[in-house]
Amino acid sequence: MLTALSRALADVTVGEVRLAGADLAGAVGACAAGLAGHDRVAVVATPTMQTVVAVAAGVVAGVTVVPVNPAAGEAERAHVLADSKPSLVLADTDVDLAARAPLPATPADDAAPPALVVYTSGTTGPPKGAVLSRRAVAACLDGLADAWSWTAGDVLAHALPLFHVHGLVLGTLGPLRIGSRLVRTPSFAPVDGASMYFAVPTMWGRLDARQLADMRTARLLVSGSASLPAHVFDRVREHSGHELVERYGLTESLIVTAARPGDDPRRPGQVGRPITGVGLRIGEADETGLGEVQLTGPTLFDGYHDRPDATAAAYTDDGWFRTGDLGRYDDRDGLRLLGRLATDLIKTGGFKVGAGEVEDALLSHPAVVEAAVTGEPDDDLGERIVAWIVCTEPVDADVLVQHVATGLAPHKRPRDVRFVDALPRTAMGKVQKARLR
Ligand code: MCA
Ligand code: AMP
């Protein structure tokens, strides 16, 4: 019963489409009936009501859902589908919002297949599928509900994409499990009557003073997925009267820490204390207490789909999950994030992008002979993807940008292309990215 939806679904609005709770339950029931006989289905996760219904149907039917970025390019989509091998790919047109059927009498329990396989980028190679159990999803959502006193009386508003943990698990399964109303807007903006807002720092940074003032009546503004710049925190406080609350996690671990409003001292970068059940330690800490954030507990994934090698490499010898994030922890102030071990992972607009994946895409262009990808600080996106290119013949930067945007996804496109005569390399031939920056 662990990822069961609330017994009383609340109203959900996605863009222009609104379904009252009972109608939503009926549409989910009808979609779930159509999933009989399937173990794993892919959902092209457009920001629509159809996606909400399809994902909820998978949850109640005990079918694993693989969300696919609707803007994923051909190569990326082909990889996700070939790797996850769903027996069905659901698009918006396959979901009938007018159909009605009762929800299954016995909702899927822990013995059912995993809830989700969510694809996430590593430093090299194509994205890997993080297998997320029903138990992990439930533990994460219940832990957040506890930390934030999130109840059926809340109205959550956000504009997050529905193919990643933030928008899908927190922003969609959260309200469906807790029974709170959900309003998903096309772009991030104030919503009448909203009590909670979830967004990435880039979205918070883009709101104007008037929009922030219109969020005064909410009770909780939450930022996550990337570092929150101090100037964004200050501006939100100045115009909305709220101190942004941060929480932290990874696709592989779901959300593991959360700041408790009112309880924990608020400072940007301070991402709170572990939620119920999560174990957190700082591995190989230096004399100042700085080291790698490592995790145990019920929110952790079941491993990477079909990648036992990568799964094993993600854990320490004594069984703790290695986040690759650097931080300091104490029981009073909670976790403070201070950087990342791997430089080949870029967080841009809250999306994680592996340098290797973008380099491979650039190298697949016939004019490119060498490519290196780095992240540079960016006021709006946090980090900006920069491509360093050696080519055989003149090629337009825009052509290379489009090559990446259409092969992978638009958010993986370089925002800067710099042509160089050669890449700095070590005697062993390894690119020295520090010298590029
Ligand atoms: C779009 N554009 C393009 C292309 N496609 N330009 C060239 N080539 C293309 N192929 C243009 C658009 O027309 C637009 O132009 C401009 O790019 C910007 O579009 P916008 O939608 O604003 O995109 P963005 O600026 O790149 O995105 C900002 C964003 C987005 C909306 C904040 O990054 C986002 O949705 N982030 C959320 C990420 C997220 O959910 N992460 C959670 C991961 P113009 O502006 O001129 O019209 S889960 C996770 O991290 C863990 C578990 C956690 O902690 O949550
Ligand atoms: P993803 O792989 O897309 O799930 O991204 C996970 C990564 O996002 C983490 O390893 C962190 O580096 C980053 N992250 C998530 N939440 C926060 C936060 N509140 N502050 C800073 N970084 C964060």
Side-chain angles (χ1 to χ4, degrees):
M1 283 269 275
L2 276 171
T3 31
L5 308 187
S6 157
R7 294 177 80 80
L9 287 182
D11 304 356
V12 169
T13 306
V14 185
E16 299 289 303
V17 182
R18 177 175 175 276
L19 280 183
D23 291 324
L24 177 63
V28 170
C31 185
L35 297 182
H38 291 281
D39 257 4
R40 187 155 58 231
V41 303
V43 172
V44 181
T46 49
T48 57
M49 185 67 83
Q50 283 84 346
T51 295
V52 172
V53 168
V55 172
V59 168
V60 298
V63 174
T64 306
V65 170
V66 185
V68 180
N69 177 354
E74 245 169 71
E76 187 170 347
R77 186 181 160 117
H79 162 71
V80 168
L81 296 180
D83 191 66
S84 61
K85 300 182 197 64
S87 53
L88 184 69
V89 181
L90 282 179
D92 278 2
T93 46
D94 301 313
V95 179
D96 181 0
L97 296 182
R100 299 287 179 268
L103 290 172
T106 331
D109 61 15
D110 269 8
L116 300 166
V117 178
V118 180
Y119 278 77
T120 181
S121 298
T123 50
T124 56
K128 301 185 285 285
V131 178
L132 298 164
S133 68
R134 289 159 191 281
R135 191 168 155 259
V137 170
C140 166
L141 294 175
D142 293 352
L144 289 178
D146 176 56
W148 294 335
S149 309
W150 181 1
T151 69
D154 278 302
V155 180
L156 172 66
H158 71 78
L160 294 157
L162 301 186
F163 50 88
H164 273 312
V165 162
H166 197 167
L168 186 67
V169 176
L170 276 62
T172 304
L173 296 180
L176 295 181
R177 180 172 173 79
I178 289 156
S180 53
R181 272 170 56 198
L182 165 64
V183 182
R184 200 273 177 199
T185 47
S187 60
F188 192 46
V191 167
D192 259 355
S195 63
M196 299 167 70
Y197 288 92
F198 291 173
V200 299
T202 300
M203 293 174 176
W204 286 116
R206 288 181 183 183
L207 294 179
D208 63 31
R210 165 168 290 246
Q211 290 174 307
L212 286 168
D214 285 344
M215 292 182 173
R216 248 173 211 282
T217 50
R219 67 171 190 87
L220 189 68
L221 311 189
V222 185
S223 174
S225 300
S227 319
L228 176 63
H231 66 90
V232 174
F233 177 86
D234 291 342
R235 214 171 138 268
V236 171
R237 180 170 54 190
E238 181 189 343
H239 298 292
S240 75
H242 288 285
E243 294 190 321
L244 277 171
V245 160
E246 287 183 85
R247 90 295 175 291
Y248 158 76
L250 291 83
T251 302
E252 292 89 334
S253 66
L254 299 179
I255 303 310
V256 287
T257 70
R260 274 80 169 163
D263 232 5
D264 295 332
R266 285 300 308 131
R267 240 170 297 149
Q270 211 85 44
V271 295
R273 286 171 291 124
I275 62 169
T276 311
V278 169
L280 184 152
R281 74 179 185 190
I282 303 296
E284 292 149 34
D286 67 12
E287 61 284 356
T288 70
L290 180 70
E292 184 186 20
V293 181
Q294 298 179 351
L295 304 166
T296 59
T299 65
L300 284 182
F301 71 153
D302 288 350
Y304 295 110
H305 178 71
D306 266 353
R307 292 292 306 274
D309 53 329
T311 305
Y315 284 87
T316 63
D317 289 344
D318 59 347
W320 288 66
F321 176 71
R322 309 187 56 141
T323 65
D325 290 309
L326 292 169
R328 288 200 184 92
Y329 183 80
D330 72 65
D331 287 333
R332 193 174 58 89
D333 288 340
L335 179 64
R336 181 162 188 81
L337 291 176
L338 290 150
R340 214 164 33 218
L341 279 170
T343 49
D344 273 350
L345 286 176
I346 301 161
K347 261 273 159 158
T348 180
F351 286 118
K352 181 151 92 180
V353 180
E357 190 186 1
V358 183
E359 287 160 4
D360 290 347
L362 289 163
L363 285 166
S364 73
H365 189 280
V368 176
V369 280
E370 290 184 70
V373 164
T374 57
E376 286 187 6
D378 185 279
D379 276 349
D380 175 45
L381 296 170
E383 284 183 289
R384 168 174 75 237
I385 300 176
V386 178
W388 305 80
I389 301 290
V390 181
C391 49
T392 44
E393 54 191 272
V395 53
D396 210 40
D398 282 347
V399 170
L400 296 182
V401 169
Q402 283 314 319
H403 185 69
V404 176
T406 52
L408 301 178
H411 72 261
K412 297 184 178 178
R413 70 188 192 276
R415 306 292 171 129
D416 262 329
V417 178
R418 298 185 191 148
F419 294 98
V420 289
D421 293 334
L423 295 177
R425 289 183 186 270
T426 63
M428 302 296 290
K430 196 173 176 311
V431 178
Q432 295 170 299
K433 291 196 178 175
R435 286 183 56 200
L436 285 170
R437 291 186 199 99

